[in-house]
Amino acid sequence: MTTQIITQAGAPAKFTFDLILRIFGGFTFIASQIFCAAAAVVFCTAGLFHLSTKATMIESAIIAVPTLILCAQVFMMVVRAERDPDNN
């Protein structure tokens, strides 16, 4: 059972092309920053510890899991923020 916050302004916004475009833009902006930070972590630690290519790939796979989970949470937050009637 999902809960929706309904304020005095009304129900959450319906999905329109404009809303989807705003969600895509907000998510893309924040997710690109997350991916750049994750890539910088991999690059810096691989260089600092002189890791081989195989070790760098393993480190990338390890860091990819929390990065993707964080991006999924950011996506849900962006959708909730853009559909909030008080935000529009």
Side-chain angles (χ1 to χ4, degrees):
M1 178 175 178
T2 60
T3 59
Q4 294 180 350
I5 298 173
I6 298 176
T7 62
Q8 295 175 353
K14 302 259 190 268
F15 283 104
T16 61
F17 180 74
D18 181 49
L19 179 67
I20 292 172
L21 196 61
R22 287 185 293 163
I23 289 170
F24 177 76
F27 172 71
T28 303
F29 175 70
I30 297 170
S32 66
Q33 302 298 313
I34 294 169
F35 285 126
C36 285
V41 167
V42 170
F43 179 76
C44 291
T45 56
L48 180 66
F49 296 122
H50 304 290
L51 298 178
S52 66
T53 304
K54 186 181 283 187
T56 303
M57 291 299 145
I58 292 170
E59 178 190 12
S60 298
I62 292 170
I63 290 181
V65 174
T67 300
L68 292 175
I69 292 171
L70 181 61
C71 283
Q73 290 177 347
V74 164
F75 178 75
M76 294 307 218
M77 290 170 56
V78 168
V79 169
R80 272 188 256 127
E82 290 295 334
R83 289 189 72 202
D84 186 14
D86 293 336
N87 189 28
N88 295 325

